[in-house]
């Protein structure tokens, strides 16, 4: 039986992973008061008391705007914290699973003209993306058995109190209020149902060390605008509530074929979003 320590257990992903992994494992998802992973003493105490075989690191400043506004404070959480945890994992023989992001890939200038692969050069264009990439590299250096999962933007069928919003909540609000919103018509990315991430997570614990694209593909090149309209249609709402925003193009789609070859297959972005919204209606 694995002993899994999950940071960020009150957060969007950590709370769902704690539930998904609990059945077959001993899971501890401490609050920030119980484990502040930016404190070496707190990290040492958590490892000494729980003796994890696996550390799933979901804790972060996950708000991209907040990282731009507070680069130093967010760096302490997004880079220094993971480094402390990686060192403790290596010292205690635990395997580290680091939650990274598709935002490591692109600064808005050069892209491969196809979805990003793990071995493409990364050139993140945001503080958040740079912090995630630096943390991935530090974790691999300090704890060579680290699995870094590059996650895409996630949503779930039901909102949980105290957690940040997601695309599904936005679409429900638009459908209920009739309020229109802008969506970029040249923004390409995968978006992933958190239920799928949680369902595949036990398998992720077994992946070889390294970096893995871990989310739904968007092979149909469906823009943020088209995706929002697909979602509104699934809710039976007026698709024109999603208004085009003419922002510069963005390519954040990930190619998950390496992860699929390891036996972890995510469904297509638009199909899974439709399924989630239809099921929740
Ligand atoms: N959600 C997405 O769409 C998405 C997409 C790509 C990647 N990711 C990555 O996936 C991971 C999980 O994201 P999420 O959306 O679940 O994040 P979230 O909802 O913002 O949760 C972040 C968690 O981190 C905790 N935390 C922050 N600083 C801490 C500290 N010093 N000590 C202990 N806990 C601390 C927070 O605790 P408090 O509740 O006490 O603040 C919260 O539980 C993150 O690494 C994020 O960057 C998320």
């Amino acid at each position: 039986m694995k002993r899994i320590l999950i940071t960020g257990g009150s957060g969007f992903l950590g709370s769902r992973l704690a539930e998904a992994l609990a059945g077959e494992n001993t899971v501890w998802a401490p609050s920030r008061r119980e484990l502040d992973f930016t404190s070496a003493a707190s990290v040492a105490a958590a490892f000494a008391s729980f003796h994890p075989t696996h550390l799933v690191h979901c804790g972060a400043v996950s708000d991209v705007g907040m990282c731009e506004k507070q680069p130093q404070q967010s760096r302490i959480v997004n880079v220094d914290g993971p480094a402390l945890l990686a060192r403790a994992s290596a010292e205690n023989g635990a395997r580290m699973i680091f939650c990274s992001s598709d935002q490591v890939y692109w600064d808005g200038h050069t892209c491969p003209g196809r979805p990003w692969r793990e071995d493409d050069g990364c050139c993140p264009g945001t503080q958040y993306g740079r912090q995630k990439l630096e943390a991935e590299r530090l974790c691999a250096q300090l704890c060579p058995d680290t699995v870094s999962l590059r996650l895409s933007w996630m949503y779930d069928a039901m909102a949980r109190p105290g957690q940040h919003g997601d695309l599904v909540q936005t679409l429900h609000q638009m459908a209920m209020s009739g309020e229109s919103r802008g969506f970029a018509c040249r923004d390409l990315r995968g978006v992933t149902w958190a239920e799928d991430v949680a369902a595949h997570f036990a398998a992720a614990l077994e992946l070889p060390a390294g970096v893995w694209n871990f989310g739904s593909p968007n092979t149909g090149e469906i823009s943020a605008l088209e995706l929002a309209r697909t979602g509104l249609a699934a809710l039976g709402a007026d698709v024109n509530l999603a208004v085009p925003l003419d922002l510069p193009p963005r390519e954040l789609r990930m190619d998950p074929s390496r992860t699929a070859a390891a036996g972890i297959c995510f469904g297509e972005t638009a199909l899974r979003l439709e399924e989630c919204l239809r099921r929740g209606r």
Side-chain angles (χ1 to χ4, degrees):
M1 184 182 268
K2 297 182 177 77
R3 296 179 62 77
I4 305 175
L5 169 52
I6 302 180
T7 64
S10 62
F12 177 88
L13 182 61
S15 60
R16 289 164 172 84
L17 293 184
E19 289 165 12
L21 295 171
E24 309 216 321
N25 308 286
T26 301
V27 170
W28 183 39
S31 66
R32 186 199 290 243
R33 202 166 32 79
E34 294 168 298
L35 167 57
D36 173 356
F37 57 75
T38 62
S39 152
S42 181
V43 168
F47 274 78
S49 67
F50 184 66
H51 303 292
T53 58
H54 293 73
L55 169 80
V56 175
H57 182 43
C58 296
V61 176
S62 65
D63 180 332
V64 177
M66 186 62 76
C67 294
E68 291 301 321
K69 272 192 228 144
Q70 301 188 336
Q72 272 142 21
Q73 292 95 319
S74 56
R75 195 176 180 284
I76 292 170
V77 177
N78 287 346
V79 180
D80 299 349
L84 277 179
L85 291 165
R87 198 172 280 121
S89 297
E91 284 169 5
N92 291 278
R95 164 147 246 236
M96 180 160 181
I97 317 297
F98 173 64
C99 291
S100 186
S101 164
D102 56 5
Q103 304 256 347
V104 298
Y105 280 116
W106 198 38
D107 65 356
H109 297 298
T110 44
C111 69
R114 53 159 172 74
W116 295 93
R117 295 182 193 138
E118 291 89 340
D119 56 0
D120 285 325
C122 289
C123 199
T126 60
Q127 287 288 347
Y128 173 76
R130 283 191 284 278
Q131 290 170 1
K132 285 289 180 188
L133 186 61
E134 191 180 350
E136 273 184 12
R137 290 175 176 165
L138 272 173
C139 291
Q141 197 183 312
L142 297 167
C143 180
D145 197 25
T146 298
V147 171
S148 282
L149 302 177
R150 289 180 176 163
L151 303 164
S152 75
W153 191 25
M154 288 174 280
Y155 58 85
D156 204 1
M158 299 290 288
R160 294 186 177 189
Q163 296 185 355
H164 58 67
D166 62 28
L167 178 61
V168 161
Q169 282 182 53
T170 301
L171 294 173
H172 275 298
Q173 277 158 14
M174 291 169 69
M176 276 191 312
S177 65
E179 178 198 329
S180 57
R181 287 223 193 182
F183 289 87
C185 42
R186 291 182 295 162
D187 183 9
L188 295 180
R189 68 187 312 187
V191 186
T192 309
W193 193 349
E195 184 174 298
D196 293 344
V197 172
H200 291 311
F201 221 85
L205 300 179
E206 312 294 340
L207 284 169
V211 170
W212 299 85
N213 287 342
F214 204 76
S216 280
N218 177 358
T219 47
E221 301 195 17
I222 295 176
S223 69
L225 175 67
E226 291 164 318
L227 192 62
R229 289 182 166 170
T230 301
L232 289 168
L235 289 174
D238 177 2
V239 298
N240 292 313
L241 291 174
V243 179
L245 268 185
D246 191 20
L247 295 174
R250 185 166 72 154
E251 173 61 271
L252 276 186
R253 290 175 305 148
M254 296 191 291
D255 177 348
S257 45
R258 186 165 159 262
T259 311
I264 300 175
C265 299
F266 286 91
E268 276 288 330
T269 287
L271 294 177
R272 295 305 287 154
L273 179 67
E274 272 185 303
E275 168 70 15
C276 175
L277 289 167
R278 291 226 167 90
R279 218 196 282 170
R281 266 177 84 179

